Amino acid sequence: MQSPRTDDFRLERVDGTIIVTFTPDGRSYTFPINGDQVAEPTTSPARTSASDYADDEVRRAATELARLALKGAP
């Protein structure tokens, strides 16, 4: 299994949300912004298979990127 890298993702900020797209399979995580934190995301289905990546690692990386996009580095 491969670990996702930051360049495997595309980030957008749109109307109170941060959208993190995992480019190898096209799935998107939409994180509502709640004050200074991101809430649990809604996830779109993958458009293609990226079976060499573990789903939980992709979700964890997407969550961390959304948090960093909102707050910056610790």
Side-chain angles (χ1 to χ4, degrees):
M1 289 274 156
Q2 293 188 52
S3 292
R5 299 170 310 194
T6 55
D7 60 343
D8 288 330
F9 296 89
R10 184 180 73 237
L11 280 80
E12 302 172 73
R13 187 170 179 164
V14 179
D15 298 328
T17 63
I18 296 175
I19 303 167
V20 182
T21 303
F22 183 59
T23 56
D25 68 7
R27 93 184 92 160
S28 292
Y29 298 87
T30 302
F31 294 87
I33 298 171
N34 186 8
D36 66 343
Q37 298 196 3
V38 290
E40 281 296 309
T42 57
T43 307
S44 72
R47 294 183 182 162
T48 186
S49 176
S51 59
D52 10 333
Y53 295 91
D55 288 341
D56 59 335
E57 284 192 39
V58 172
R59 183 182 181 96
R60 188 174 19 258
T63 301
E64 181 63 13
L65 287 171
R67 188 191 66 76
L68 287 170
L70 182 63
K71 291 185 165 185

